[in-house]
Amino acid sequence: MARGVASVAVQPIVRAIDIRKRFGSFEALRGITLDVISGEVLCVIGPSGSGKSTFLRCINQLETVTDGALWVDGELVGYRRAGNKLHALSENEIARQRLKTGMVFQRFNLFPHLTALANVAEGPLRVLRRPRAEVISEARTLLERVGLGHKADAFPVELSGGQQQRVAIARALAMHPRLMLFDEPTSALDPELVGEVLAVMKSLATSGMTMIVVTHEIAFAREVSSRVAFMDQGQIIESGVPQELLSRPQQARTREFLAAVLG
Amino acid sequence: MLTPDLAPPAAAADGGAGALIDISHLQHVPRRYWGRYSCAVLILVALALLMIAFARGQIEWRYVGHFLTARSILEGLLNTIMMSVLAMALGIALGVITAVMRLSANPVLSWSARGYTWLFRGTPVILQLLLWFNLALVFPTLGIPGVYTARTVDVMTPFLATLLGLGINQGAYTSEVVRAGLLSVDIGQYEAAKSIGMPRLLALRRIILPQAMRVIIPPVGNEFVGMVKLTSLASVIQYAEMLHNAENIYYANSRVIELLIVAGIWYLVAVTVLSLLQSRLEAVFARGSGRVTARQ
Ligand SMILES: Nc1ncnc2c1ncn2[C@@H]1O[C@H](COP(=O)(O)OP(=O)(O)OP(=O)(O)O)[C@@H](O)[C@H]1O
Ligand SMILES: [Mg+2]
């Protein structure tokens, strides 16, 4: 994958500046500032309710940010700038901005009335309106890539959780996103199925995909990520390369959390 | 009570296969359903009595046979079926649009949808039929002034008044059924559709509605059956549906019961065919739901 590593400053894929998200009076995100550069794999860890999912959902606009600014691939999320004014985007423009990100959900959310192949082909066919033959052959290739070439005609109910999640990854990849978001992709899986999904994610990371992964799999974070961020109570408490953050955390709260999850 | 040779295989504890009890010589007696048998007999007796009453009553069965295929009755049947299909199509179209509007974030759309449902569910359908038919009393002419106008009495035929009256009324009911169907689909499906860049209407059409169909079809089938019979109300505004034509015949020849039986038979036939179609449709939309066939 060719990447524009210019001598000038590299434009980050995600740039978040002091973003905040309120649900009623409750502030789920309390000022997140963060850059994710192309090819980076950022793992986000943290206790339940710390705002990890909310952060991911703001990036692809499943939630709207209350305050602060967020750029994805150089575009200001949710707004169009005209002179000195920021115009809120229409529904269709938001849908277009979402094309830059792919999302993988904890509960897979495959379309149950479509086969595995149709799940993968749906977006390119209906949203991008690309030619059918081309889309189908590419969808087959993607299913092969996640190890499910033989399950193309299976409906989601006929697949195991791990297989469903791998189809979901293929479905997101079919849109050629610039960035992949994973929200606890393995926490709904039986332990013996976790490995197959992590393997797919690892090969995706190796291929140079920019990824933000919310996960409880510390081993995965240690091995695959280029950076780990620890979140608590709507803030990033600290972040750093996995060897540093996971082995020698600076903050007491990070230490407590790691002690609890690593047992 | 356990007979000694059916006692639990305590001997199995010592491990020998021979310790298992051989029950092959025992006779198998299927379960008896005395309740079912007696109910079935009662129902058959009641049906027999009913048939005797009808056979001995003042019914000339040869008239029933004769009018069953009378031209006027068959034309009426055709009109009934055509009107049911058209009014239901209009009702479903309006119902889907209204349900989608109702669930929209746009308050103007959402409240318009509520108003429509409120108005047309809140008034008797026969009143609505009469209103449409007498629309000329409010709007003597229809059209765009200067471009095209027509006298309302010419436009508002019994056919059109019935179609609008039944279809628009049906739309108000169907919208609630569709809304329930849309709400039954997991929120994760909306999010997954958004995550691959689908705008709302595309997501509704491709992802949400097909899944909602499983919930929508049974009650809509039910309403379709209701619609076939509801068309008979249109006889009050002179629409030539089956009951209207049957009435015209018995006004002339006084064979009231015979013609009512004729109409009844055809209604039953139409509804039976509809139910069969519904089962087929349910099976189609059960795909991927884990249920192999639709429940009857
Ligand atoms: N739609 C919502 N309305 C109100 N509160 C919400 C909503 N979504 C999230 N929250 C609250 O925001 C906080 C952060 O939620 P979030 O789902 O981002 O946590 P998380 O870090 O992903 O936790 P988990 O590990 O359990 O998934 C929680 O306290 C949650 O209750
Ligand atoms: Mg979460």
Side-chain angles (χ1 to χ4, degrees), chain B residues 90-137:
Chain B
L90 179 61
I92 291 173
L94 288 174
V96 171
I97 293 170
T98 309
V100 169
M101 281 168 63
R102 173 79 189 269
L103 294 176
S104 160
N106 179 338
V108 178
L109 292 182
S110 161
W111 280 96
S112 312
R114 277 172 201 249
Y116 162 64
T117 314
W118 170 78
L119 186 62
F120 287 94
R121 281 201 313 174
T123 48
V125 65
I126 194 157
L127 181 150
Q128 293 172 35
L129 285 173
L130 290 168
L131 275 180
W132 284 111
F133 193 53
N134 294 300
L135 198 67
L137 300 179

Side-chain angles (χ1 to χ4, degrees), chain B residues 2-68:
Chain B
L2 291 170
T3 51
D5 63 343
L6 263 182
D14 53 45
L20 290 174
I21 297 158
D22 179 19
I23 59 166
S24 62
H25 62 286
L26 298 177
Q27 196 194 344
H28 173 80
V29 182
R31 207 158 135 191
R32 301 263 162 79
Y33 296 98
W34 298 116
R36 292 185 196 178
Y37 304 149
S38 43
C39 279
V41 169
L42 274 179
I43 291 169
L44 287 177
V45 168
L47 281 178
L49 290 175
L50 207 60
M51 277 168 69
I52 291 168
F54 268 87
R56 289 199 184 150
Q58 303 216 335
I59 302 170
E60 292 280 358
W61 286 99
R62 57 196 182 83
Y63 279 103
V64 174
H66 175 240
F67 281 110
L68 199 59

Side-chain angles (χ1 to χ4, degrees), chain A residues 23 26 28 46-55 63 106 183-184 216:
Chain A
F23 293 110
F26 175 76
S48 182
S50 56
K52 308 181 296 292
S53 300
T54 306
F55 178 52
E63 307 283 359
Q106 184 174 357
D183 191 359
E184 301 195 28
H216 291 303

Side-chain angles (χ1 to χ4, degrees), chain B residues 134-214:
Chain B
N134 294 300
L135 198 67
L137 300 179
V138 190
F139 301 102
T141 57
L142 293 175
I144 308 160
V147 183
Y148 171 83
T149 50
R151 286 169 59 223
T152 306
V153 278
D154 298 335
V155 178
M156 199 49 75
T157 56
F159 172 83
L160 188 61
T162 307
L163 177 60
L164 291 176
L166 295 181
I168 292 176
N169 178 72
Q170 187 59 47
Y173 281 93
T174 308
S175 77
E176 286 299 275
V177 171
V178 174
R179 189 165 71 93
L182 295 179
L183 291 175
S184 77
V185 178
D186 182 53
I187 187 85
Q189 292 292 312
Y190 288 87
E191 297 192 339
K194 281 183 182 173
S195 80
I196 57 170
M198 285 194 168
R200 183 175 129 87
L201 285 183
L202 184 62
L204 278 171
R205 189 162 61 77
R206 292 287 311 168
I207 306 299
I208 308 302
L209 263 178
Q211 294 181 58
M213 285 311 250
R214 260 182 344 112

Side-chain angles (χ1 to χ4, degrees), chain B residues 80-81 83-85 87-89 92 166 170 173-174 216-233 241-242 263-264 266-279 282:
Chain B
T80 290
I81 291 174
M83 181 55 72
S84 306
V85 171
M88 206 61 203
I92 291 173
L166 295 181
Q170 187 59 47
Y173 281 93
T174 308
I216 293 174
I217 290 173
V220 166
N222 192 33
E223 304 214 326
F224 212 142
V225 166
M227 176 62 82
V228 171
K229 295 171 294 172
L230 211 57
T231 51
S232 63
L233 280 185
E241 47 74 43
M242 185 164 52
W266 280 121
Y267 280 119
L268 278 174
V269 169
V271 166
T272 307
V273 171
L274 262 181
S275 309
L276 293 176
L277 288 177
Q278 181 186 338
S279 310
E282 285 182 19

Side-chain angles (χ1 to χ4, degrees), chain A residues 234-251:
Chain A
Q235 288 177 316
I236 293 180
I237 304 299
E238 64 179 307
S239 74
V241 293
Q243 296 77 13
E244 287 291 322
L245 187 127
L246 296 174
S247 311
R248 287 180 295 281
Q250 302 299 308
Q251 303 291 326

Side-chain angles (χ1 to χ4, degrees), chain A residues 72-84:
Chain A
V72 172
D73 197 26
E75 275 190 49
L76 186 59
V77 160
Y79 295 94
R80 183 165 25 86
R81 186 169 168 184
N84 280 332

